[in-house]
Amino acid sequence: CVRVAQGLAERAGLGGGAGVIRSRDGQGPLDDAPALSRRRATLLAVAGLTMLPSISFSQHDIKTWRRSSSMPPLKGTDLNGREWNLADLKGQSVLLNFWATWCAPCKEEMPTLQTLHELGEADLVLLTVNVRESIPHVQRYARSTGLTLPILPDPKGVIAKAWGIVVYPSTLLIDTTGTPRQFVTGAVDWSGSEALGWLRALRQPAR
């Protein structure tokens, strides 16, 4: 589950949102081992049909990122061997998601992130960071669930710690200038109209 302590939530001026469980140490367990085309509309429909009935996407919280809060660098190699550097992605909007398989809400929203990845928006980069799990375990999970979206492994939680992430799932929405706009905690239907509206707004100048 969804875990809250301090860190990035505090730097962004966030408190606990709906459906968020507070933890003492803020860490998860280490693992032992605009209009859509017809194709896009079909993908969204399929995602809706395959979602688990227990999902409660209403229990999420979105807050504006404080302009005074700095954004740490992020570099890494995903499970497919592709290298990523957040600083190189200016000019595109970025959805940066922190998750783990030991977090039920993370697993519940993951199919909608996969759908968003399959939509292939040219000006949107979707990156996920898997926290505190072994790479072989994450690879097995990705294969078994058909995940092909970029997954940066963070087996010791180093990246999450640098970003102050102690809420799972947590998602940062970054605009085309490389500026964080919103910080989202809790499970979200990323293929739904509300979330697509957030992503469209990243292409517009900040108010």
Side-chain angles (χ1 to χ4, degrees):
C1 326
V2 183
R3 297 166 175 246
V4 174
Q6 299 174 348
L8 182 60
E10 291 183 347
R11 285 192 285 163
L14 304 180
V20 173
I21 301 172
R22 297 181 180 274
S23 67
R24 293 182 179 178
D25 59 6
Q27 294 184 337
L30 288 171
D31 185 71
D32 293 332
L36 297 174
S37 65
R38 290 184 179 179
R39 173 178 172 274
R40 292 175 178 177
T42 300
L43 283 171
L44 295 180
V46 170
L49 290 174
T50 58
M51 294 309 298
L52 296 176
S54 60
I55 297 175
S56 179
F57 287 126
S58 63
Q59 295 192 0
H60 61 259
D61 192 22
I62 180 169
K63 294 292 179 68
T64 300
W65 179 275
R66 285 184 177 177
R67 293 180 184 273
S68 60
S69 300
S70 61
M71 186 177 68
L74 188 149
K75 296 181 180 180
T77 304
D78 67 23
L79 294 183
N80 294 320
R82 178 175 176 178
E83 295 185 359
W84 295 90
N85 184 347
L86 188 59
D88 295 337
L89 299 179
K90 287 185 179 180
Q92 298 175 285
S93 51
V94 178
L95 185 159
L96 178 61
N97 177 270
F98 291 83
W99 70 287
T101 66
W102 42 261
C103 163
C106 299
K107 293 194 293 184
E108 290 172 346
E109 76 169 356
M110 194 54 61
T112 71
L113 284 168
Q114 176 64 29
T115 297
L116 189 63
H117 171 67
E118 292 176 8
L119 294 180
E121 294 289 345
D123 60 350
L124 174 66
V125 176
L126 193 160
L127 289 177
T128 71
V129 178
N130 175 270
V131 182
R132 296 183 66 80
E133 298 186 283
S134 70
I135 293 177
H137 172 80
V138 183
Q139 289 173 327
R140 289 194 299 270
Y141 182 81
R143 285 195 299 268
S144 67
T145 57
L147 293 179
T148 60
L149 75 178
I151 300 173
L152 304 180
D154 185 21
K156 295 187 177 181
V158 175
I159 298 175
K161 183 177 180 180
W163 284 71
I165 297 294
V166 288
V167 179
Y168 301 95
S170 283
T171 305
L172 192 63
L173 304 181
I174 304 169
D175 68 21
T176 55
T177 69
T179 303
R181 290 274 191 93
Q182 284 91 25
F183 185 71
V184 187
T185 57
V188 173
D189 178 2
W190 292 104
S191 61
S193 59
E194 182 182 25
L196 293 176
W198 300 341
L199 298 175
R200 283 194 295 268
L202 296 176
R203 307 168 190 164
Q204 306 301 322
R207 297 179 180 179

